[in-house]
Amino acid sequence: MSPHSPGAELADAWTGRFGDEVTTEETFGGLAVGVSPELWVEALTFARDELACGFFDWLTGVDELEEGFAVVVHVYSLERRHHLLVRTRVTKRAPVLATATSVYRGAGWHERETSEMFGILFEGHPNLVPLLLPDGFEGHPLRKDFVLAARVAKPWPGAKEPGESGHGAPSRRRVRPPGVPEGWGPHA
């Protein structure tokens, strides 16, 4: 990152405030900042109050397998015209993070969705109830270990497989969809 770039100035502000407790990386269109879960709310408050990032864009999770879940927030400064990605990581065995709703009210809906889809508990959230999935749904569909049962239980509604159209083309080997264990489904 060049010393005169807006990303360098933002990175200096973060390291000036948090020192070695944060990591910074210039990305396409902005700066990505990594913080520990303990600094999550403090870091978001710093972004809002000191760096003028008053526009909350989105919050989501990323399943990083053995490394746990990344929680990522994108905020923007309308006054200074800079983007920030603030991210942290929680463990798979205890995916708990403080809510960001005290800093950005718009985080409420995003945290509900992320909680439902990844199983991350946002402590202190005012209304952490299911948002998208039907009542009684079990599991967290955006986790990489979630089995997509519908892909096994019913046939794909698209065109026929090669060789099934009656034109004599050779048939291809049948394979299980990704993430489906061997011997699972109606034809097991």
Side-chain angles (χ1 to χ4, degrees), residues 60-74:
T60 193
V62 178
D63 186 346
E64 295 182 338
L65 299 172
E66 292 78 31
E67 296 176 22
F69 298 106
V71 178
V72 184
V73 166
H74 179 257

Side-chain angles (χ1 to χ4, degrees), residues 16-179:
R17 169 65 175 83
F18 294 98
D20 293 339
E21 295 184 273
V22 299
T23 60
T24 60
E25 172 188 4
E26 193 158 355
T27 62
F28 179 75
L31 183 73
V33 181
V35 301
S36 68
E38 297 78 26
L39 292 176
W40 182 243
V41 173
E42 187 178 348
L44 294 175
T45 304
F46 176 73
R48 182 194 65 193
D49 297 346
E50 304 299 321
L51 302 178
C53 292
F55 182 81
F56 173 86
D57 193 8
W58 50 262
L59 175 148
T60 193
V62 178
D63 186 346
E64 295 182 338
L65 299 172
E66 292 78 31
E67 296 176 22
F69 298 106
V71 178
V72 184
V73 166
H74 179 257
V75 292
Y76 181 71
S77 172
L78 295 168
E79 297 85 20
R80 300 181 191 166
R81 299 190 174 275
H82 60 253
H83 298 263
L84 275 177
L85 280 176
V86 183
R87 57 188 175 204
T88 192
R89 184 174 292 133
V90 294
T91 64
K92 276 230 179 190
R93 103 183 162 293
V96 178
L97 186 64
T99 184
T101 56
S102 63
V103 183
Y104 294 106
R105 287 183 56 202
W109 186 92
H110 297 262
E111 287 180 351
R112 285 176 60 193
E113 178 186 38
T114 303
S115 177
E116 190 173 23
M117 295 296 169
F118 290 95
I120 300 169
L121 174 65
F122 291 93
E123 279 188 327
H125 191 284
N127 190 28
L128 199 59
V129 297
L131 180 68
L132 303 171
L133 299 173
D135 291 339
F137 189 91
E138 293 182 22
H140 305 287
L142 291 183
R143 286 187 173 192
K144 290 183 179 173
D145 59 0
F146 184 80
V147 175
L148 299 174
R151 294 187 68 187
V152 176
K154 56 186 173 185
W156 182 253
K160 293 183 176 186
E161 294 286 331
E164 295 177 344
S165 64
H167 293 94
S171 179
R172 67 178 188 205
R173 180 175 56 96
R174 305 260 184 233
V175 295
R176 288 187 319 277

